[in-house]
Amino acid sequence: MNRTAVAVIALMALMAPATFAQTAGSLSRPGAPVDAKTAPQSFSALSKRLMPAVVNISTSQVVASRLPSFPEGSPAERFNEYFGRNDDGFQRQGSLGSGFVISADGYIVTNNHVIDKADTIEVTFSDGRTLDAKIIGRDRDTDIAVLKVTSRTPLPFVDLGDSDRAEVGDWVIAIGNPLGFGGSVSAGIISATGRDLNTGRSDNFIQTDAAINQGNSGGPLFNLNGQVVGVNTAIISQSGGSIGLGFSVPSNTVKRISAQLIKEGRVHRPWLGVNVQDADESLIKAYRASGKSGTIVTRITDGSPAAKAKLEVGDLILSIDGRAVAGVRDMTRQLSEKPIGKAITLSIVRDGRQRDVAVTLGELPDEDVPAATAPSEAVGLSNDLGADLVALDDDVRRRFGAPRDMTGVAVTGVSTRGRAYNKLRRGDVIVEVNFQSVSAVSDVLKRLDTAMQTPNQPILIRVKRRGDTGGWFDQFVSIEIRK
């Protein structure tokens, strides 16, 4: 397969609501569980029962228009309205996706990328009713967001199940808004668990062959008990349509994230302050240790909990609180479930000897909260690149493990619809734009404004990028800017 033709696609599309009667209360099946390994004769009863809790989400955002504007009174004036451009030269853009109600008082789970940068959000239920929604909280790392609507009557809702009990081969159904066809149902099985798509530090996706397309983003993946086992987030496709490779955020992750978002509006993440690499059986044997997996510390951030606990570069981490570490991703997931401010026990090997080290985890800075030390440069969004940019201050250095002597502008996110998609990566540090050095977000935006004047000439961007082993190297990328 030509890997350059394969893309991870965020799932948004046009909306067309379906019509079903709603009843209040939990729609997930009580009592004895259904056998998820035996194919039912039909999914119709389950689908009808769950439909009222699944919603279509539409958002709109006003942006500066790049489309032509026709003067008032001219024969072509009517095209201003056609292009969605108002009198001030701005244009309203929309995106659409799916979501589902998790409580009778109107809390709704969806994907962060569905509501990202939205000015207004509307939620349409299966009976055709539309309500305005407000954002309660959002988490970019897991791509989960929680919305809230106000209803005069209690809303039907569904329960979040235990995704750890979901097994490969179990039957699942997806309900959502694919390609604008609201209230669509598709069925399949869980194809794999623990998938890593290299989209963030929390990658742990459920893979399914149930048909999922653009517009399914934020929609639920149900087991046969009507419990949500995943939130549909992405597909891998060469054509933009489903080829049986859909990915969902596990419901146990959604439980943890949504509970924090509802309670505090943000997610608190524990922080150890190390870079690590996978340790295979051969490396572990070289350490004169027993076992088949672990991680090796390759860098320790100054002032971090790991530094205070006197961990050292080269330490082999075998377990956390007695639970074996299977690798870097497993270590990340284990740490994400630990409480901030309380000690954990790392079983490590140093100098051929195994020992236990107590570490009190700190808190990782929230990526969506600007650094107080540099409010004017804390967060910048380049609509020309489709990348989120922040100044490389001490907090950002600590987050991405960047050395103190590095200068530039950090990339904290890249839109799947932007020019920089598949070019820049989260964690890249931009150091030059068209051979001119940059040290602030405003520098990058200024260089981009200049580059946009010659749209047939690609932008050359030099970045510092961290490799798999933790070291940094230079990478040059060209980005087309044709209008």
Side-chain angles (χ1 to χ4, degrees), residues 96-162:
L96 298 107
S98 307
F100 57 95
V101 185
I102 60 170
S103 67
D105 56 348
Y107 285 103
I108 295 172
V109 168
T110 186
N111 280 145
N112 175 63
H113 75 257
V114 170
I115 53 87
D116 192 26
K117 304 176 183 67
D119 296 323
T120 61
I121 304 172
E122 288 186 339
V123 172
T124 301
F125 290 81
S126 59
D127 61 0
R129 181 169 49 148
T130 297
L131 297 175
D132 292 331
K134 65 177 181 179
I135 299 174
I136 296 300
R138 43 193 284 188
D139 180 52
R140 292 186 179 183
D141 190 64
T142 57
D143 198 19
I144 293 299
V146 175
L147 310 178
K148 180 73 164 60
V149 296
T150 300
S151 173
R152 295 179 180 177
T153 57
L155 295 172
F157 62 92
V158 289
D159 298 327
L160 291 164
D162 183 359

Side-chain angles (χ1 to χ4, degrees), residues 234-399:
I235 60 175
I236 289 181
S237 175
Q238 295 169 302
S239 63
S242 173
I243 59 171
L245 289 173
F247 299 89
S248 305
V249 180
S251 57
N252 285 352
T253 299
V254 179
K255 284 182 189 177
R256 176 171 53 85
I257 297 299
S258 61
Q260 291 190 55
L261 293 177
I262 291 172
K263 183 178 180 180
E264 300 187 45
R266 61 180 290 251
V267 175
H268 299 271
R269 284 191 169 82
W271 177 53
L272 180 58
V274 297
N275 289 4
V276 293
Q277 71 174 65
D278 287 329
D280 58 18
E281 195 170 354
S282 176
L283 278 169
I284 291 173
K285 185 177 180 180
Y287 270 77
R288 302 173 190 172
S290 59
K292 296 184 178 180
S293 63
T295 60
I296 298 173
V297 177
T298 59
R299 177 174 292 153
I300 298 175
T301 303
D302 292 342
S304 67
K308 294 175 182 177
K310 301 189 184 306
L311 284 178
E312 297 180 4
V313 171
D315 285 345
L316 169 63
I317 300 175
L318 296 176
S319 68
I320 301 174
D321 285 339
R323 179 179 167 186
V325 172
V328 174
R329 286 198 300 133
D330 180 58
M331 179 175 170
T332 301
R333 286 197 292 270
Q334 286 198 48
L335 290 175
S336 70
E337 299 170 356
K338 299 298 181 181
I340 297 169
K342 293 187 178 181
I344 62 171
T345 300
L346 302 181
S347 178
I348 70 167
V349 176
R350 182 188 299 165
D351 299 329
R353 296 173 49 200
Q354 187 165 333
R355 66 192 76 185
D356 290 339
V357 176
V359 183
T360 299
L361 296 175
E363 181 179 355
L364 185 71
D366 189 343
E367 296 179 9
D368 291 326
V369 176
T373 55
S376 62
E377 286 292 335
V379 178
L381 172 68
S382 168
N383 286 325
D384 292 328
L385 285 181
D388 291 309
L389 309 174
V390 298
L392 192 61
D393 57 21
D394 289 341
D395 286 340
V396 177
R397 292 179 198 279
R398 181 174 60 185
R399 189 190 316 164

Side-chain angles (χ1 to χ4, degrees), residues 180-249:
F181 295 99
S184 293
V185 180
S186 59
I189 62 170
I190 293 177
S191 305
T193 58
R195 287 298 197 210
D196 183 4
L197 301 182
N198 295 313
T199 61
R201 58 176 171 260
S202 299
D203 276 18
N204 181 30
F205 293 102
I206 293 173
Q207 180 185 330
T208 179
D209 67 352
I212 294 174
N213 287 284
Q214 297 181 54
N216 274 114
S217 265
L221 188 71
F222 290 107
N223 62 21
L224 296 190
N225 288 301
Q227 298 171 321
V228 178
V229 294
V231 176
N232 300 321
T233 297
I235 60 175
I236 289 181
S237 175
Q238 295 169 302
S239 63
S242 173
I243 59 171
L245 289 173
F247 299 89
S248 305
V249 180

